[in-house]
Amino acid sequence: MNYTDSNLFHNTEKNKPPILIAEDDLTSRIILAGILGKWGYDPIAVNDGQAAWDVLQRPDAPSLVILDWMMPKMDGLEVIRQVRARVTEQPPYIILLTSKDEKSDILSGLEGGANDYIKKPFEHEELLARIRVGQRTLELQTSLYEAKRSMEHLATRDPLTGILNRRAILEQLSKELSRIQRGRLDQDGKKLSIGFFDVDNFKHINDKYGHQAGDDVLRGIAQILRTQLRGYDSISRLGGDEFLVLAPESDEAGYKKLYERLVSVIAASPLLTCAGEVMLTISMGVATAIPDSTDDQLLSNADAAMYMAKRAGGNRVVYA
């Protein structure tokens, strides 16, 4: 029976990850794969270090690995070094399988990046215990990674609307300007533009309908922006009723069409609030970047254009 096919063992129990086995001895490989399959794991068995490294470079690579130390083409320690050289937030847990019993050899394996080791011949119970330690470690690693991602997401989001907050959008603006300053401007007339706007007479909305309705208005505006922007545009609530749209890689006709559409759609869209439907308009100022633009200059230009739009009666776009 060929145990190199991962489909021969199907994981019927929850929370048991697939395990990569790299072992050049056929008999040992078959026995090891059979044991893991009996325990409910899904073994992926290969017969040399290069094959193991090929598997570990896949997007769906197993996170739990058992590597024989002495293998052809690439030994286990070299596979580990290649794995640890890759930058990843969720590295695999690697158990080194070895017949070496010198303390110096074991230390060199652990210092080389192995998480654990087991000496041949091994007791099945010991192997299972070490696999379970690896599994618990991976579960904790995943939990920490997800918590970190969640915290990073929350740190960049406006709590009221769910879109980017001021800090996040300004960091993104700085990155886009740095790209322009490095001379990576498109040659076909595409530019970076920003649209800075706020709600016309927003204080009146709060005074007439209440602050809860005002919050509903801001959430409604954010939802409209999500549906109207392209996938690579960014939106942010800077604070209060002020919003910023970041639109990279648009020619003049394209970004003018974008901003005019936003103003028109918001003016034509009744926003549902706790006090009923509310109609409103916005005033927007637009500025485009040149190679020596700074974020402060760009924001100042857009801000000045926005106040020109307000003085002209609102519900319009003014270009800096």
Side-chain angles (χ1 to χ4, degrees):
M1 182 178 293
N2 182 5
Y3 289 90
T4 60
D5 185 351
S6 63
N7 292 322
L8 292 176
F9 292 99
H10 296 286
N11 186 357
T12 58
E13 299 182 37
K14 292 182 179 180
N15 301 322
K16 286 198 173 183
I19 300 178
L20 173 62
I21 304 166
E23 167 63 78
D24 63 319
D25 181 76
L26 177 60
T27 301
S28 298
R29 189 167 66 251
I30 290 175
I31 292 173
L32 190 53
I35 292 169
L36 295 180
K38 182 179 178 181
W39 290 338
Y41 293 96
D42 186 8
I44 302 171
V46 297
N47 59 6
D48 62 62
Q50 182 60 56
W53 173 231
D54 291 342
V55 171
L56 289 169
Q57 293 180 85
R58 298 175 186 171
D60 60 345
S63 56
L64 195 51
V65 183
I66 300 175
L67 291 180
D68 187 21
W69 189 320
M70 304 303 295
M71 290 186 294
K73 297 185 180 179
M74 186 184 295
D75 66 30
L77 202 55
E78 180 58 27
V79 174
I80 293 172
R81 292 192 185 102
Q82 294 285 352
V83 170
R84 299 310 185 208
R86 300 179 71 188
V87 178
T88 175
E89 293 186 286
Q90 293 186 285
Y93 188 94
I94 301 176
I95 301 172
L96 193 59
L97 194 60
T98 178
S99 57
K100 297 174 181 284
D101 57 6
E102 293 293 331
K103 187 175 182 179
S104 59
D105 292 326
I106 294 170
L107 288 175
S108 67
L110 294 174
E111 290 175 354
N115 297 98
D116 199 357
Y117 72 94
I118 186 168
K119 291 192 290 185
K120 297 179 181 179
F122 54 83
E123 296 291 335
H124 292 179
E125 292 78 6
E126 180 186 2
L127 175 63
L128 179 58
R130 293 182 184 275
I131 288 173
R132 284 174 172 170
V133 169
Q135 189 175 346
R136 289 194 297 270
T137 301
L138 288 170
E139 289 169 354
L140 176 59
Q141 177 179 286
T142 299
S143 296
L144 292 172
Y145 174 75
E146 291 174 351
K148 178 185 175 185
R149 291 291 299 270
S150 178
M151 291 176 65
E152 289 174 347
H153 178 81
L154 291 173
T156 62
R157 298 288 156 172
D158 172 55
L160 177 64
T161 62
I163 60 178
L164 293 177
N165 60 23
R166 183 185 187 91
R167 181 173 68 88
I169 197 72
L170 293 183
E171 287 179 358
Q172 196 160 337
L173 176 59
S174 293
K175 289 178 182 178
E176 289 291 340
L177 289 174
S178 295
R179 182 181 67 85
I180 292 173
Q181 290 160 2
R182 289 195 301 270
R184 294 170 60 186
L185 279 171
D186 291 316
Q187 300 302 313
D188 55 0
K190 292 184 177 181
K191 298 178 179 180
L192 166 68
S193 66
I194 63 170
F196 180 43
F197 74 87
D198 71 4
V199 180
D200 296 329
N201 302 312
F202 185 66
K203 184 178 184 302
H204 174 72
I205 294 173
N206 277 331
D207 292 343
K208 181 176 180 180
Y209 301 106
H211 289 280
Q212 180 60 53
D215 288 347
D216 291 340
V217 162
L218 298 177
R219 281 189 286 262
I221 290 172
Q223 183 58 37
I224 291 174
L225 293 175
R226 289 190 186 98
T227 63
Q228 295 297 316
L229 297 179
R230 304 165 300 177
Y232 46 88
D233 296 329
S234 301
I235 53 174
S236 167
R237 178 179 174 228
L238 297 181
D241 62 321
E242 294 181 338
F243 291 80
L244 184 68
V245 177
L246 182 64
E249 300 184 15
S250 296
D251 57 24
E252 183 174 353
Y255 69 71
K256 284 188 174 182
K257 182 179 179 180
L258 168 67
Y259 296 123
E260 299 285 351
R261 183 176 74 248
L262 291 179
V263 172
S264 297
V265 170
I266 289 174
S269 302
L271 299 178
L272 184 62
T273 75
C274 61
E277 290 186 345
V278 173
M279 300 296 296
L280 55 85
T281 61
I282 64 172
S283 295
M284 179 179 290
V286 174
T288 56
I290 57 176
D292 60 351
S293 294
T294 66
D295 48 2
D296 286 340
Q297 290 170 342
L298 204 58
L299 289 166
S300 178
N301 290 342
D303 182 54
M306 182 191 72
Y307 278 101
M308 290 177 65
K310 281 194 173 298
R311 288 194 293 269
N315 192 26
R316 69 191 66 215
V317 182
V318 170
Y319 299 91

